[in-house]
Amino acid sequence: MKHAIQWLPGVETLRRYEAAWLSHDIFTGLVLAAMLVPVGIAYAQASGLPGIYGLYARVPLPHA
């Protein structure tokens, strides 16, 4: 298990996660989404690209 935690650091965080944090984390995620979606669309359109490209740019890609 120790080897898996070294390669997957989120596992250790999940092990220590408290249920009381869930409502705050959901609220924070919704606020960030509400802010980042329009900003992403606006940047793309200001660059002369279709707005959907701004949304694609906001999606995190997995690390290689």
Side-chain angles (χ1 to χ4, degrees), residues 3-24:
H3 183 69
I5 292 174
Q6 179 182 0
W7 290 100
L8 300 168
V11 172
E12 183 63 28
T13 302
L14 286 175
R15 290 177 60 196
R16 293 183 284 126
Y17 192 81
E18 296 181 23
W21 300 342
L22 185 60
S23 63
H24 297 285

Side-chain angles (χ1 to χ4, degrees), residues 14-58:
L14 286 175
R15 290 177 60 196
R16 293 183 284 126
Y17 192 81
E18 296 181 23
W21 300 342
L22 185 60
S23 63
H24 297 285
D25 288 343
I26 290 173
F27 179 74
T28 302
L30 292 173
V31 168
L32 284 174
M35 292 170 50
L36 291 178
V37 167
V39 168
I41 293 170
Y43 274 127
Q45 290 181 341
S47 300
L49 299 169
I52 192 70
Y53 291 161
L55 296 179
Y56 292 151
R58 294 288 178 196

